[in-house]
Amino acid sequence: MATLEDLGVSAFINIVGAFVFLLLFAFLRIQPINDRVYFPKLYLARKRTHDQRGVRGVINLNLCTYLRFLSWVPGALRMNQTELIHHAGLDSAVYLRIYTLGLKIFLPIMVVALLVLIPVNVAGGTLLNIRKEVVFSDIDKLSISNVSPGSNRFFIHLLMAYVFTFWTCFMLYKEYSNVAFMRLHFLASQKRCADQFTVIVRNIPRVSSHSTSETVDEFFRRNHPDHYLGQQAVYNANRYAKLVKRKERLQNWLDYYQLKFERHPEKRPTGRTGCFGFCGRKVDQIDYYRARISELDKRMASERQRVLNDPKAVMPVSFVTFDSRWGAAVCAQTQQSKNPTQWLTDWAPEPRDVYWQNLAIPFFSLSIRKFLISIAVFALVFFYMIPIAFVQSLANLEGIEKVAPFVRPVIEVKVVKSFLQGFLPGLTLKLFLYILPTVLMIMSKVEGYVSLSSLERRTASKYYYFMLVNVFLGSIIAGTAFEQLYSFFHDPPSQIPRTIGVAVPMKATFFMTYIMVDGWAGIANEILRVKPLIIYHLKNMFIVKTERDRERAMDPGSIGLGENLPSLQLYFLLGLVYAVVTPILLPFIIVFFAFAFLVYRHQIINVYNQEYESAAAFWPQVHSRIIASLLISQVTLFGLLSTMKAAYSTPLLIFLPLLTIWFHKYCKSRFEPAFRKYPLEEAMEKDRLEHASEPSLNLKTYLANAYLHPIFHMFEQEDQKEETTVEVRIDKAQQQQQHHVRSSHSQYHEEESSITETHYNHQEERTSQVQYQYHYQHHHEENMGSQQSPPHFV
Amino acid sequence: MATLEDLGVSAFINIVGAFVFLLLFAFLRIQPINDRVYFPKLYLARKRTHDQRGVRGVINLNLCTYLRFLSWVPGALRMNQTELIHHAGLDSAVYLRIYTLGLKIFLPIMVVALLVLIPVNVAGGTLLNIRKEVVFSDIDKLSISNVSPGSNRFFIHLLMAYVFTFWTCFMLYKEYSNVAFMRLHFLASQKRCADQFTVIVRNIPRVSSHSTSETVDEFFRRNHPDHYLGQQAVYNANRYAKLVKRKERLQNWLDYYQLKFERHPEKRPTGRTGCFGFCGRKVDQIDYYRARISELDKRMASERQRVLNDPKAVMPVSFVTFDSRWGAAVCAQTQQSKNPTQWLTDWAPEPRDVYWQNLAIPFFSLSIRKFLISIAVFALVFFYMIPIAFVQSLANLEGIEKVAPFVRPVIEVKVVKSFLQGFLPGLTLKLFLYILPTVLMIMSKVEGYVSLSSLERRTASKYYYFMLVNVFLGSIIAGTAFEQLYSFFHDPPSQIPRTIGVAVPMKATFFMTYIMVDGWAGIANEILRVKPLIIYHLKNMFIVKTERDRERAMDPGSIGLGENLPSLQLYFLLGLVYAVVTPILLPFIIVFFAFAFLVYRHQIINVYNQEYESAAAFWPQVHSRIIASLLISQVTLFGLLSTMKAAYSTPLLIFLPLLTIWFHKYCKSRFEPAFRKYPLEEAMEKDRLEHASEPSLNLKTYLANAYLHPIFHMFEQEDQKEETTVEVRIDKAQQQQQHHVRSSHSQYHEEESSITETHYNHQEERTSQVQYQYHYQHHHEENMGSQQSPPHFV
């Protein structure tokens, strides 16, 4: 067990490490050459441009700025919440609130715990008086272990457990209510978006004589006659997307060789076609890549024809639009068909949030996928050591010597051998942990979620289970997860909280070190952005030719909810578990929350690019994980106290988890619907306001191509390149014919659309985006408006 | 342990008992005097009238009918399913399908088990050869216990477990699909009902300056402008209802004394007013009760005034009606308000299904009630022995002697004393078990469900938990539930299935006896209807004067889902658990299902009165309980095999529960929405059909008073008695004014209503029910149609 001195040394090292990182960051960020690494968000938002040339464009020569090296801190704090939401979206703003929530919960708890519990524990003095033979750490003198068994002092710990739980619940309630309000306010004050009027319909049944589009049209004309506006078919263009990626890779190489040739015009670059340029025949690289690209172009053109003409390329999914938010809200929340596995409706995610590859999965397959993945996650969490041990046994020195005998002389050197033998198993494990979030993301994709936001949320929850079992329980019980599982089955249930509870105070120093390494130094590493820094400069050296290339070489990244939410939740868990047991751990957590808040605020303002906007849809998860942490802390305390012979106080703890569960249920029914459903009151209000302010709006035009599959934007680019004559026309006759099919209630749309004719044409000219209806008119007769292009992919 | 002979004796006794009951029933049912006990349903449906007078009206003298004493069996089978649904409702028809499902599942399983498993078990022969010193029963030779540990024969049991599970799941899937189809078909072919157009709105917020009705009107006019029709306020008339009950009781006594006086005109009946007629002053009973009734009348009149005029008597609940099924379906399935705890909408239950007392419970209180009741149910299930033991300790002979010393001489007689000492504790327990369903029903009422059907479903699920723990586990582990709970916490989880698994085959004879006593004899008792028979004849003797009184003296009862569903589910559990272990139990279960099917079919056709129609809303519960039984059977088999050293076959069992859980999840998402939501496709189709067949229907009139609180029907009766002049008028001007407030979309209602004026008046005359708008017009300006009276309560 670590003494206070050990801990002090560890703290010193980590603080120095973090400080060095910060100094490095302060130095690097003011060099103009790194501008696009440390301020990509501002470039994307067109708030910053790189205009200085020459040396001044590479190195900062203004010495004054070196002195103000901590100037990023006030800069990060200056922006207020409204501006932040405007600048980086509600998701980011609410994400930062998790850190402030941590501060709000733990600061008062720390003050009370340090003032009340530390004196009680120290005065307990068992460790000093009785068990002199046992080796104990100084930290233990401050923890609950120092109180003598059977003491009445445990009533104070019990009282504190109640106080802390009530305080946490109170803050959680306030925060949930705040976030729910922010979400509703955000949705209400949001400007008009396509997703407000759109519903995603999955599992459209195939009717033999009809095309999917016709089936959808007919169904919604019949069942939503007053509000149905149109629909957007979804094409299965996954194969085409693959070809596009391949072409991009080839184009990169071509660019690279062309640049090389420009710099050294005396010799044309040559190389071999075989594996990694080692074998195969020798070719002129520029000619070779040109030929391959033109070949690929031909394949893409034929694939494109297939997608457009083959009815099988139309997937049984559709984005259905309505003439009002009310209509869309109604359709998204109700059951459409007698068969509840068909015509599944849900809110359409934002266009940029859609994960197109998963749209076509049928219901039955979906239910099997979910089941299999949940088994796989269970196996991954509890048995992940088995494949790793297997790989480790393969990747030993004998194995390597067999496969590659030529390295034997090197390996047999004693120093190298012992280093490798210690290093290889660790490397395998590190590699696994590094790719784990990617593996979990792939699992979530297999599960079939259709939006990026839900994919990240699902990944986060899988990762949380992994961390809970392998980091928290694994560190406390000190065994593999598999061994834990075995003991869960073979120990009596009443023994498990005891085992954990007894081990908790002993592991306090370990977790303090963990917080310093993973929390403090990790966050300082985050702000330095080593990996994007290196990759950006590499790209800059080899590929970048134009300003546009430089823009593409930027890698702003995103918050990465999938990884960050679970580790944040782990800190809440540690804080709540140790609040009563070893309160001296709390200051470490508070430093983490404060420091991480600053860093992430800075990154969100200057670096991360917002990939989508889910309007804080992840909050219910954050809330329930903190509740789960509360429950875990209560159970461990119960286990600990029951070994301390505190027979009078322990039974009083039973009400705490019951109250917590009730609180959770109440919050769930009180707030969660705000994150899952869209109230009709709200929808109607917004519709009415809009109708009053813009009575002549032509929604049909506005919504026309909002949910066009990204492939069509590529087609469009192709068309532009080939300089086809683009035809813009409004098929008025067709439109009218469609309206006649509807009931008399919706006739006013027709009038509206004829009134807003002029408006429509204006918009057309302004956006200057092309129409290309001539080609696949038969596929979607409804899409006749101006082109709304999703920001990613163009 | 019982031998085969013991079991044979028990079977003989029970079969004879059941046969005697059946003979008694056959004799009693053909006596005309019992006609109203054994055929009340037919009287209520006006399919049978009592017209014979004299001796022929009391005793059946036709000897031929005595010979055909089993004639009720073909009678019960004759009606086909469509007729049955028409005669007794879908709930009853689907309830009977549970029995046929039992037969469909267990008949093939029994055939396979008897042909395959019994030979395998008998040939195993361990018990005969090895363990001669152990006492074992003959039944055990046929069970899995007879196979020697570690034998490869267990692979056959394993295979059978898979086969039985697949067969059960297959039948469950088919049945769920059938029932879901029947439900949708029933709802689709149902004639027009008020509940199709009505949504119940709870937790209406109080707006200071508005009455509740105005708030509701305003809210729905704003958010459902195209489909909102009107609303029906709900009055808190619980106190008035109490007074009515009291008056009825007094009226009964008055009737009794008047009848007595008519029979013996020579002396007026007298009595004392004090407790039970023992003390107090002597009065003329007829005058006394007349005076008390007239006094009560006065109080009722003032209470009535209070309900009508006090704005606080209007509860924050309302029945909101729409002009189409589509509109109601939309409102019921969507979230209305930004605050998800306000404006909660749900399908309105049928008018006769509404449980009025629970309508006014606010959301917060509801969430606390649910929480507290779930704790109470847990306590009741596991600790019910504690209060009973307490009462038993009080109700011992010494206690009684102290309270009532005058009984001491009787008690001290030795025979009486020993009888009482054995009898009293058992009586306490019996009494508790007898009132248990009532207690559980009260608990469900406290939980705050608003319809009788959901109350019965909730009671059923509570009762199921009680039976599972106390009857099934209690009999197998042989200890109180509290002891079980203790061992659940203190034994390792892997031990529990073993403990249960090992005990299961040993308890087979016990459960066979249980099935015979509770199942066979119990069902025979059900058809005899001893209690209603006695009560009817008592009432007939003392109270009945007119034909209407006789009608009211009938007690048809109902199926009693709250008690019958759980015991049925217990039989499924027994069948599935013993199918692999001791297949000889299966014939007993099959006899039960077949016999009970016949009896309940007869009772449903001739006796039970349908209290409400929930369109088989209980089926998802039945389905998931059978799935739970499957899981329990798999876990116990796993535990049993793991003690049998069947190391190769046991691990293969792990996949079975996983597959079963997946099957359950799939069925849940595939079928359950059909029981919870109403698809828009369906609603639209029905709306369209109705619009085509009855274009001139005035829905407003039709729906006007469908959901009037029962109290108003009483008021109406009062009005009739007092012979007030009843004014029927249509406030045309007012109606028009209301329509003008609405959006232009709904103007066609107004035209419609003027067109259908004549129709409206016709209906008025036909139903010949009164309007009494003059009195509380300001309360609900919308209720101006003809009176629809709920069938119960008038």
Side-chain angles (χ1 to χ4, degrees), chain B residues 377-396:
Chain B
V377 169
F378 181 85
L380 184 74
V381 168
F382 284 98
F383 305 111
Y384 80 97
M385 279 312 292
I386 296 175
I388 286 180
F390 180 71
V391 173
Q392 284 173 345
S393 75
L394 281 188
N396 59 5

Side-chain angles (χ1 to χ4, degrees), chain B residues 550-658:
Chain B
R550 190 164 288 127
E551 194 123 312
R552 289 175 65 182
M554 284 196 315
D555 171 22
S558 64
I559 298 178
L561 290 180
E563 263 178 278
N564 280 334
L565 279 188
S567 42
L568 257 175
Q569 286 152 0
L570 185 73
Y571 287 107
F572 276 98
L573 177 64
L574 289 178
L576 290 170
V577 166
Y578 280 101
V580 177
V581 175
T582 313
I584 199 73
L585 187 129
L586 289 177
F588 291 82
I589 292 209
I590 290 197
V591 169
F592 163 76
F593 275 123
F595 184 39
F597 172 72
L598 277 181
V599 167
Y600 274 96
R601 209 164 203 277
H602 172 264
Q603 300 293 82
I604 281 169
I605 292 173
N606 297 309
V607 180
Y608 300 144
N609 184 28
Q610 195 192 5
E611 284 181 348
Y612 56 80
E613 177 64 65
S614 71
F618 57 82
W619 193 264
Q621 211 188 70
V622 172
H623 178 87
S624 46
R625 294 276 183 274
I626 299 179
I627 294 277
S629 306
L630 261 181
L631 286 173
I632 293 174
S633 78
Q634 289 154 4
V635 170
T636 51
L637 186 64
F638 189 84
L640 178 61
L641 286 188
S642 70
T643 61
M644 290 288 210
K645 295 178 189 157
Y648 295 113
S649 43
T650 315
L652 292 175
L653 262 180
I654 286 183
F655 303 103
L656 213 44
L658 290 180

Side-chain angles (χ1 to χ4, degrees), chain A residues 582-595:
Chain A
T582 313
I584 199 71
L585 187 128
L586 289 178
F588 291 82
I589 289 202
I590 289 196
V591 169
F592 163 76
F593 275 123
F595 184 39

Side-chain angles (χ1 to χ4, degrees), chain A residues 355-376:
Chain A
Y355 183 69
W356 295 93
Q357 280 91 318
N358 271 354
L359 284 175
I361 303 171
F363 183 81
F364 188 79
S365 158
L366 217 60
S367 87
I368 292 182
R369 280 155 178 256
K370 287 214 170 115
F371 179 67
L372 290 180
I373 288 293
S374 56
I375 294 179

Side-chain angles (χ1 to χ4, degrees), chain A residues 184 219 221-227 326 329-330 333-341 363-364 367-368 371 375 488-495 658-659 661-662 666 669-671 673-674 677-682 684-685 688 745 748, chain B residues 184 219 221-227 326 329-330 333-341 363-364 367-368 371 375 488-495 658-659 661-662 666 669-671 673-674 677-682 684-685 688 745 748:
Chain A
L184 285 176
F219 185 84
R221 286 238 168 82
R222 186 148 35 82
N223 296 314
H224 294 269
D226 301 352
H227 299 285
W326 193 91
V330 160
Q333 292 177 47
T334 50
Q335 195 195 338
Q336 307 303 315
S337 145
K338 287 175 225 185
N339 181 343
T341 62
F363 183 81
F364 188 79
S367 87
I368 292 182
F371 179 67
I375 294 179
F488 281 154
F489 274 112
H490 289 85
D491 288 349
S494 59
Q495 188 55 45
L658 290 180
L659 287 175
I661 289 170
W662 173 78
Y666 178 73
S669 52
R670 172 71 183 79
F671 295 115
K677 292 172 177 178
Y678 190 47
L680 295 188
E681 190 183 12
E682 193 81 28
M684 194 47 115
E685 216 173 284
R688 194 160 294 164
H745 285 276
Y748 73 98
Chain B
L184 285 177
F219 186 83
R221 285 238 168 82
R222 187 147 36 80
N223 295 314
H224 294 269
D226 302 353
H227 300 284
W326 192 90
V330 160
Q333 292 178 46
T334 50
Q335 194 195 338
Q336 307 303 315
S337 146
K338 289 176 223 184
N339 182 343
T341 61
F363 183 81
F364 188 79
S367 86
I368 293 182
F371 179 67
I375 293 178
F488 281 155
F489 275 112
H490 289 85
D491 288 348
S494 58
Q495 188 55 45
L658 290 180
L659 286 175
I661 290 170
W662 173 79
Y666 177 72
S669 51
R670 171 71 183 80
F671 296 116
K677 293 173 175 177
Y678 190 48
L680 294 187
E681 188 184 12
E682 193 83 28
M684 195 47 116
E685 213 173 287
R688 193 159 295 165
H745 286 277
Y748 74 99

